[in-house]
Amino acid sequence: MNASFDWGALLGDANVRSVLLGSMLLGAGAGVLGCFTFLRKRALLGDALAHATLPGVCLAFLVTGSKHPFVLLVGATITGWLGVAAVNVITKRSRIKDDAALALTLSVFFGFGIVLLTRIQKTGAAAQAGLDKFLFGQAASLVPADVLLLGGVTVVLLACVVLAFKEFKLLAFDPQFAATIGRPVGALDFLLNTLTVLSVTVGLQAVGVVLMAAMLVTPAAAARYWTDRLPVMLVLAGTIGALAGAIGAVVSMTAPRMPTGPWTVVAATALFAVSLVAAPRRGVVARTLRRWRTRRRVAEENVLKTLYHLGESDGVWDAPRKASDVSGRRRAKTAGVASVLPRLANAGWVERTGEAWRLTRAGLDRARRVVRLHRLWEVYLTERLHLAADHVHDDAEEIEHILTPELEAQLEAALARPRFDPHRQQIPYDAPVPASAAEPTVVP
């Protein structure tokens, strides 16, 4: 891309502005509507609808002989809705699941559309009608009238989403509850499907049948990585869709022989890839860091717990212990234990004395809590779930690292603060209980 490109002259062209604005409107509207399709786990619906519109375009041309966009889009809307109806009939009147019904509808309607398109091509009228452009789109052919149509439909779509936001939210997350409280689930589903059909139909001229499904799903999937709140997701999906449309339009305007539709989808996919990797909570980097931190914390708590067990065995809680003593008790590699101990020292939980390490007061408290959680969970499994005492250790090894203080308090209250675990080992609270005071565990 030439850095000295004359952007002022380019954007001064009304045709260029039409392509840019039309692509952005398409991306914004499809992104917002796609959120509800995505959350309802019907991502393939957009693909089925897009392919179901092709025979409508062809039939509209064959019946009217007109290549006016409005005529073609009316035909596309009709067959798109027939596609939705076909999916609903198949799923309700047969044992075929949603995904198979969508795949059947997609293939049958698209196959019929290709047959009609081939028929038109043989008549020699396809080039004049430009119907072949509906397969992959031709945003460069957008004119101000097309932008007005896109803008009007986008405004209608967004207005319907705003006005029926609560109802659409219920439909997306819990349609059974919506029906229970008296919401017209059937009518809402009809409205949402109609809006989706309109969104797909108006995008055909810019993106095409093959790629339109990506504009419904990709911005919504990208936005989902960044938030748990639906209003924020809708705004993000619309923004991502509009940005992808703008990038596709700019690339097609500044690079020779570059189609807008495919580049719009490539841009949306690139933005999805950024979300997949860099989103703060669900991104690959964030999840990898969380797993790494969890593994480090588990390793540290296991070493602290082992130091506590060694102190428990000889009654000297702050006695210096070598890494080999810890690894021998845990049956772990000495090198692994030796790598954990300096981190514990930096945290103030152990201190080094020559070649050995011993628990600090803070480390003893932390170790005591881990041991307490382990043994409380063993009591819970044996007393409440009636598991054998020799079957609870492994579960307790995992759960001890994730129990919160709130759950710990609930366990103590439910189990009446037991003093010994199923193996007759003392459960440490504020201070150790002498072994001579051992009593049976009391659980209400």
Side-chain angles (χ1 to χ4, degrees):
M1 191 177 296
N2 192 347
S4 61
F5 202 87
D6 190 349
W7 288 98
L10 183 66
L11 295 177
D13 188 332
N15 205 27
V16 169
R17 293 199 304 271
S18 297
V19 173
L20 180 61
L21 185 57
S23 300
M24 293 180 68
L25 289 171
L26 165 66
V32 171
L33 261 296
C35 290
F36 295 102
T37 303
F38 177 80
L39 292 173
R40 296 175 72 191
K41 297 180 174 59
R42 302 188 74 183
L44 192 58
L45 177 63
D47 204 10
L49 288 179
H51 286 76
T53 57
L54 182 60
V57 171
C58 297
L59 286 172
F61 175 74
L62 287 172
V63 171
T64 66
S66 171
K67 61 180 182 180
H68 192 280
F70 180 77
V71 173
L72 300 181
L73 294 181
V74 168
T77 302
I78 293 172
T79 55
W81 237 114
L82 288 175
V84 174
V87 172
N88 291 335
V89 169
I90 291 172
T91 53
K92 291 179 180 179
R93 301 297 177 86
S94 69
R95 295 184 179 181
I96 297 176
K97 302 299 183 183
D98 282 354
D99 55 348
L102 289 167
L104 285 171
T105 302
L106 183 155
S107 57
V108 171
F109 275 77
F110 190 61
F112 183 47
I114 293 296
V115 169
L116 292 175
L117 188 59
T118 304
R119 171 65 180 170
I120 295 172
Q121 286 175 336
K122 288 183 178 180
T123 66
Q128 289 80 7
L131 300 183
D132 54 333
K133 303 303 181 184
F134 278 85
L135 284 174
F136 298 102
Q138 191 179 37
S141 66
L142 291 174
V143 296
D146 298 324
V147 174
L148 288 176
L149 177 62
L150 278 171
V153 173
T154 301
V155 169
V156 170
L157 295 177
L158 296 179
C160 290
V161 169
V162 171
L163 294 174
F165 174 73
K166 292 182 179 179
E167 288 74 14
F168 285 167
K169 183 177 180 180
L170 271 177
L171 189 65
F173 290 105
D174 199 341
Q176 289 80 18
F177 176 71
T180 301
I181 62 176
R183 293 291 188 274
V185 174
L188 290 172
D189 186 65
F190 177 86
L191 175 59
L192 189 55
N193 285 334
T194 300
L195 296 178
T196 306
V197 170
L198 287 174
S199 177
V200 169
T201 302
V202 297
L204 294 180
Q205 191 173 357
V207 182
V209 167
V210 176
L211 301 176
M212 187 57 211
M215 292 307 298
L216 275 175
V217 176
T218 308
R224 183 67 182 90
Y225 275 94
W226 295 93
T227 183
D228 290 325
R229 300 181 62 235
L230 182 56
V232 178
M233 181 181 175
L234 296 177
V235 172
L236 286 176
T239 303
I240 291 171
L243 182 59
I247 293 173
V250 168
V251 171
S252 70
M253 288 184 293
T254 56
R257 304 178 67 86
M258 286 293 180
T260 303
W263 271 106
T264 298
V265 175
V266 168
T269 304
L271 293 171
F272 170 78
V274 171
S275 302
L276 175 67
V277 173
R281 290 185 56 193
R282 293 186 174 86
V284 172
V285 173
R287 286 188 284 114
T288 301
L289 285 175
R290 283 199 301 271
R291 285 196 296 267
W292 176 72
R293 289 169 182 160
T294 299
R295 286 196 296 268
R296 282 172 60 96
R297 181 171 57 82
V298 169
E300 292 167 359
E301 290 181 347
N302 283 338
V303 170
L304 287 174
K305 181 176 65 175
T306 305
L307 288 170
Y308 183 91
H309 287 158
L310 290 170
E312 195 175 38
S313 63
D314 59 17
V316 185
W317 306 99
D318 59 350
R321 315 285 182 181
K322 294 183 178 180
S324 57
D325 298 331
V326 177
S327 61
R329 179 64 180 255
R330 281 202 61 79
R331 298 178 183 177
K333 293 182 179 179
T334 302
V337 173
S339 68
V340 172
L341 286 167
R343 299 204 304 265
L344 295 177
N346 290 335
W349 292 333
V350 300
E351 57 185 11
R352 187 167 189 164
T353 56
E355 296 298 320
W357 308 79
R358 64 182 180 188
L359 287 169
T360 63
R361 182 63 187 176
L364 178 59
D365 292 340
R366 180 68 177 263
R368 182 184 295 128
R369 182 176 184 272
V370 177
V371 173
R372 179 168 65 250
L373 293 176
H374 180 105
R375 294 175 181 175
L376 279 172
W377 192 251
E378 288 188 334
V379 174
Y380 177 80
L381 293 179
T382 54
E383 297 294 337
R384 294 304 174 89
L385 301 185
H386 307 293
L387 299 182
D390 57 352
H391 284 64
V392 297
H393 176 77
D394 290 341
D395 286 336
E397 278 283 307
E398 296 179 2
I399 203 71
E400 67 190 21
H401 302 290
I402 60 175
L403 285 176
T404 63
E406 293 78 14
L407 289 175
E408 178 186 358
Q410 291 179 22
L411 275 176
E412 288 187 21
L415 300 172
R417 198 177 171 90
R419 301 177 69 189
F420 296 93
D421 71 5
H423 310 289
R424 310 309 302 160
Q425 292 179 305
Q426 175 184 305
I427 299 178
Y429 294 103
D430 296 329
V433 178
S436 58
E439 298 176 359
T441 304
V442 178
V443 179

